[in-house]
Amino acid sequence: SAALALLGPAPGAPSCPHGPALLFVKTSQGKEEGRRFYACSACRDRKDCSFFQWEDEKVSETKLAAREEYNRNHQPSLTHRQNVDRYKNFVLLPLSKRRFCQECQQLLLPAEWEKHMDHRFLCGITTAQLKSPSQLLYPLENKKTNAQYLFADRSCHFLLNLLRDLGFKRVLCVGTPRLHEMIQSKASQEEEFSVRSLLLDIDFRYSQFYTEDEFCHYNMFNHHFFGGEVARESCRKFLYEENGERVIMVTDPPFGGLVEALASSFKKLMAMWRETKKEGHDNKEMPMFWIFPYFFESRILDFFPSFTMMDYQVDYDNHALYKHGKTGRKQSPVRIFTNLTPSMIVLPEEEGYRFCTVCQRYVSSCNQHCEICNSCTSKDGRRWKHCVLCKKCVKPSWFHCNKCNCCTLQKHSCEKTDVGCFVCGKAGHKRSACPSLSHT
């Protein structure tokens, strides 16, 4: 059972079009096997980015030159600056001349119509459409790289209201375009709305709609700013809390992404925030919401011990599985992990959440407080039950198997469960779903 282990971002790593590559090694039964190699940080699939290099490989000058050329040619044809200028011209056009090419995913100026004559395009692009680009652009649903499953309105409004109630004035949106555009459009419409946001996203299409201090082209798997020092500086400037305007980071990474690569980047963003401060931030963490499925809880806590998982179910517009309000197994598994004090996160009672005075946090109303564990133990919105032998609460559909000496599904084959997961040894998931690796 071979799997991949990430050895992390290595200094002097070679680059592909997505920035510095990450170092990997094949593992078997948790032990390193074979040569270490570099692969693309963002794409888990060779079809999306074919970059590969052995760690100890001597790469010839010719090959290096060819690679640099390739990387250059695979950057977007327009710069962010050029896109901002185009946008200024685009808004001056009368409605009848505002076209968007659906095939090239590009706003078109009249001089370019000819080139796109045989493409499908939308006409009469309104200001409202320009203010909500995530509706205009088609979602890139490649699960591992982009995975643009966009927050449903309900989740988006909930998050925004929560952030406002908590007193945050600035939101660093890392891969959450829909939250960003909701903040941007409210700020442009409502006089008294004082929240500002900066979007960091790997999807360069957004540079057509946002200025350099509203969007940075960014890869969250290797903390790479495609716009170099200029972009990094605008991010740093945004994180600088002038007039005590508190910053929070909200991120919604692809669920197929490597947790340790993400954690490493998020720590670097936190460090950036810490550096903007002269005093008082040294031992503090930048406030953060990391939105991710509940079954990654132990992995996230490995990297961020200060985090807690909230019971709120985040749901998505264009994702068939992650919808709120379905019952049983059909509920969204996506949760908010945060380093804020749990009691501060007020969840809406009308959506079925209540406050547990013992745990000092809001929980799902089916989540019963277990007297023995002394906490509200359910993770998935159903009521869990306590197993005396396992000394913990388990899913309602699980039963204690004396052969396996643990709780598991009633229909299971005993001999296979003695080791738990082949990769990390923990029970409760198979190796293909092991949160600690990306499976090849």
Side-chain angles (χ1 to χ4, degrees):
S1 65
L4 281 191
L6 173 70
L7 299 169
S15 283
C16 71
H18 304 92
L22 297 176
L23 188 57
F24 293 92
V25 67
K26 278 208 163 54
T27 58
S28 180
Q29 247 87 31
K31 292 185 205 31
E32 274 195 34
E33 284 194 356
R35 284 164 83 183
R36 300 169 164 210
F37 60 89
Y38 290 104
C40 175
S41 58
C43 307
R44 292 260 114 334
D45 196 328
R46 284 279 163 77
K47 285 200 298 288
D48 302 317
C49 179
S50 59
F51 182 85
F52 180 93
Q53 184 191 313
W54 295 110
E55 185 191 26
D56 53 14
E57 189 181 325
K58 291 275 173 277
V59 185
S60 69
E61 290 299 317
T62 336
K63 194 173 169 186
L64 277 177
R67 181 186 288 164
E68 272 179 34
E69 172 93 3
Y70 178 87
N71 290 351
R72 254 199 315 279
N73 293 338
H74 282 76
Q75 290 315 313
S77 52
L78 294 165
T79 65
H80 191 168
R81 179 75 274 168
Q82 287 170 314
N83 271 338
V84 171
D85 291 339
R86 291 167 58 85
Y87 183 83
K88 286 179 188 154
N89 292 327
F90 190 89
V91 252
L92 297 173
L93 296 169
L95 210 54
S96 60
K97 297 204 163 163
R98 289 190 189 174
R99 288 188 184 178
F100 174 76
C101 177
Q102 286 179 294
E103 287 177 46
C104 304
Q105 293 284 291
Q106 197 186 340
L107 298 172
L108 299 181
L109 298 171
E112 299 156 339
W113 289 1
E114 193 106 1
K115 271 200 302 220
H116 299 261
M117 261 339 250
D118 47 357
H119 292 182
R120 280 186 329 221
F121 52 82
L122 298 171
C123 295
I125 303 297
T126 63
T127 311
Q129 281 174 296
L130 292 173
K131 290 255 178 286
S132 40
S134 76
Q135 319 264 9
L136 190 59
L137 303 165
Y138 66 79
L140 304 169
E141 293 183 356
N142 167 334
K143 281 194 184 43
K144 302 218 163 92
T145 315
N146 298 89
Q148 287 179 339
Y149 299 112
L150 303 163
F151 292 148
D153 256 7
R154 184 192 68 90
S155 291
C156 219
H157 280 291
F158 164 73
L159 279 168
L160 185 50
N161 292 333
L162 177 60
L163 297 172
R164 289 179 75 178
D165 293 344
L166 290 167
F168 289 104
K169 291 280 187 244
R170 299 193 186 194
V171 186
L172 182 66
C173 294
V174 183
T176 56
R178 200 155 268 181
L179 179 63
H180 175 67
E181 74 189 32
M182 190 177 272
I183 293 173
Q184 293 288 327
S185 73
K186 273 189 187 293
S188 68
Q189 287 159 10
E190 302 172 22
E191 200 79 354
E192 69 290 355
F193 187 83
S194 56
V195 182
R196 290 196 289 147
S197 63
L198 168 65
L199 175 64
L200 305 188
D201 202 291
I202 198 165
D203 186 354
F204 189 67
R205 297 178 304 173
Y206 285 108
S207 67
Q208 301 178 84
F209 305 90
Y210 298 120
T211 62
E212 288 105 326
D213 50 11
E214 295 167 336
F215 168 76
C216 294
H217 190 202
Y218 175 79
N219 178 350
M220 66 170 96
F221 290 107
N222 58 3
H223 186 59
H224 177 65
F225 286 87
F226 292 87
E229 207 33 61
V230 181
R232 176 165 282 160
E233 201 39 58
S234 65
C235 180
R236 200 174 283 126
K237 207 172 94 201
F238 181 83
L239 293 176
Y240 183 79
E241 303 180 348
E242 27 190 13
N243 323 325
E245 295 192 344
R246 293 169 59 227
V247 172
I248 185 167
M249 171 177 151
V250 181
T251 183
D252 178 38
F255 304 149
L258 290 161
V259 177
E260 48 267 71
L262 294 168
S264 157
S265 296
F266 299 162
K267 285 184 170 160
K268 286 174 183 157
L269 287 169
M270 284 179 162
M272 243 169 132
W273 170 83
R274 213 174 278 124
E275 283 157 22
T276 62
K277 273 307 185 229
K278 295 168 206 53
E279 73 289 312
H281 269 192
D282 305 339
N283 48 5
K284 280 224 203 82
E285 278 181 353
M286 167 164 66
M288 185 165 138
F289 283 168
W290 178 343
I291 294 161
F292 226 50
Y294 70 81
F295 35 84
F296 283 99
E297 182 181 24
S298 63
R299 293 294 293 148
I300 291 178
L301 298 187
D302 282 347
F303 295 104
F304 294 106
S306 65
F307 280 31
T308 321
M309 184 176 85
M310 303 290 101
D311 268 20
Y312 184 78
Q313 294 189 16
V314 179
D315 61 332
Y316 295 80
D317 257 1
N318 52 333
H319 199 299
L321 298 173
Y322 299 163
K323 286 275 197 282
H324 176 77
K326 292 186 176 172
T327 49
R329 294 294 293 120
K330 289 287 175 281
Q331 296 173 331
S332 168
V334 187
R335 302 287 181 271
I336 299 169
F337 292 86
T338 184
N339 50 5
L340 298 177
T341 312
S343 59
M344 292 163 60
I345 315 283
V346 179
L347 303 185
E349 286 178 19
E350 67 280 6
E351 284 180 27
Y353 299 98
R354 59 176 183 85
F355 189 73
C356 172
T357 46
V358 190
C359 294
Q360 283 292 297
R361 68 181 182 99
Y362 277 82
V363 294
S364 168
S365 46
C366 307
N367 191 352
Q368 296 298 121
H369 190 86
C370 170
E371 299 298 336
I372 310 168
C373 297
N374 194 26
S375 78
C376 293
T377 45
S378 162
K379 308 278 183 203
D380 64 4
R382 297 179 293 170
R383 185 177 178 169
W384 284 22
K385 57 182 187 186
H386 191 85
C387 171
V388 189
L389 297 167
C390 289
K391 297 191 172 64
K392 65 176 184 188
C393 286
V394 296
K395 293 181 177 178
S397 52
W398 286 16
F399 294 91
H400 195 85
C401 167
N402 290 326
K403 271 193 201 150
C404 298
N405 195 23
C406 68
C407 283
T408 180
L409 284 166
Q410 213 162 7
K411 292 194 176 101
H412 72 282
S413 45
C414 291
E415 66 277 5
K416 281 194 190 133
T417 52
D418 55 349
V419 286
C421 164
F422 283 135
V423 178
C424 67
K426 290 186 184 142
H429 62 263
K430 298 189 185 68
R431 67 166 181 261
S432 57
C434 181
S436 68
L437 317 155
S438 93
H439 184 64
T440 48

